[in-house]
Amino acid sequence: MLNIVIFGAPGSGKGTQSDKIIAEYGVAHISTGDALRNEIKKETELGKTAKGYIEKGQLVPDELVVGILASVLDSLGKSVPGVIFDGFPRDIEQAKILDKMLAERGEKVSTVIGLEVDDAELVKRIILRGQTSGRSDDNEETARKRLETYHAQTQPLREFYIRQGKYARIEGVGSIDRIYSDIKAAIEAVK
Ligand code: AMP
């Protein structure tokens, strides 16, 4: 199976490029952010707890996110050709959990697509997205906190995957199609 991790800061284009990868490769999409927003919408206990963290731009505790991930992974039919992990892992601990969950299913991470975009551009994009996304965390103040969280907790994962030879660096500024063609080349290299 093709197990793709799409990696990058908030606003780096993970959702947009995931849609293109899914359209071409037919892989299943697992977005922990979408799954958490769905819990908030349904007003579940988990959603209520997660909301506080999301609105502060902080990571939701692992035990909540990992439970969601496991249930989505187990709900996938056997016929899916692969999975795209969007927004997970967010720190080294989660990366180790993902490796373990995949190993238990006889799988491993195939490649990590790293979308690289500078902070000034990220803040601009998140504020712009906030005009239509309806997401309560797409405002300038929370965007800056999310970027701090990204640099402190998530970015170290880049080195983690570089050391494993799994990190495909993608220049994340430019046209959507050019960025996608670089992503496609990286996927084809591991297929
Ligand atoms: P996203 O849609 O991926 O930008 O995620 C939105 C928010 O959901 C993040 O700022 C976190 O608060 C939370 N979140 C999403 N995925 C994770 C994760 N893997 N671990 C912890 N928190 C997460």
Side-chain angles (χ1 to χ4, degrees):
M1 261 182 35
L2 200 51
N3 296 302
I4 302 167
V5 172
I6 190 149
F7 180 81
S12 60
K14 299 189 295 292
T16 303
Q17 295 296 339
S18 290
D19 288 346
K20 294 180 81 70
I21 298 169
I22 293 158
E24 178 141 10
Y25 294 97
V27 290
H29 187 212
I30 300 186
S31 158
T32 44
D34 284 350
L36 291 167
R37 282 184 287 277
N38 195 32
E39 296 291 323
I40 294 174
K41 214 165 94 196
K42 289 192 299 188
E43 298 183 348
T44 62
E45 280 309 309
L46 194 160
K48 284 179 200 156
T49 311
K51 192 167 189 262
Y53 292 95
I54 292 177
E55 292 188 343
K56 286 197 211 90
Q58 297 170 351
L59 295 186
V60 174
D62 282 355
E63 59 271 24
L64 302 183
V65 182
V66 170
I68 290 189
L69 182 77
S71 68
V72 180
L73 210 50
D74 288 332
S75 72
L76 298 176
K78 293 236 177 305
S79 59
V80 292
V83 179
I84 179 155
F85 295 93
D86 171 359
F88 190 98
R90 277 288 222 282
D91 59 23
I92 305 259
E93 191 52 38
Q94 290 187 4
K96 291 181 178 162
I97 293 170
L98 178 63
D99 283 345
K100 190 162 168 272
M101 282 171 78
L102 289 173
E104 283 165 7
R105 293 162 176 81
E107 297 288 334
K108 60 181 172 35
V109 171
S110 314
T111 185
V112 177
I113 302 293
L115 294 170
E116 304 205 349
V117 178
D118 63 88
D119 279 12
E121 170 72 14
L122 291 167
V123 173
K124 266 198 287 182
R125 287 190 191 177
I126 294 172
I127 293 170
L128 194 69
R129 180 172 72 186
Q131 295 171 0
T132 53
S133 70
R135 277 177 59 168
S136 58
D137 59 345
D138 279 348
N139 60 71
E140 180 160 359
E141 195 193 339
T142 314
R144 293 200 186 279
K145 289 202 190 115
R146 286 160 69 198
L147 281 179
E148 272 172 36
T149 302
Y150 172 78
H151 288 300
Q153 290 174 262
T154 309
Q155 208 173 22
L157 262 182
R158 184 177 179 274
E159 294 302 316
F160 176 87
Y161 285 123
I162 287 174
R163 278 197 302 275
Q164 294 183 13
K166 289 195 172 164
Y167 188 83
R169 182 190 178 280
I170 307 288
E171 170 58 53
V173 181
S175 78
I176 291 176
D177 287 342
R178 199 241 64 240
I179 295 167
Y180 180 66
S181 92
D182 291 353
I183 291 175
K184 188 174 169 182
I187 294 175
E188 291 298 320
V190 297
K191 245 187 98 191

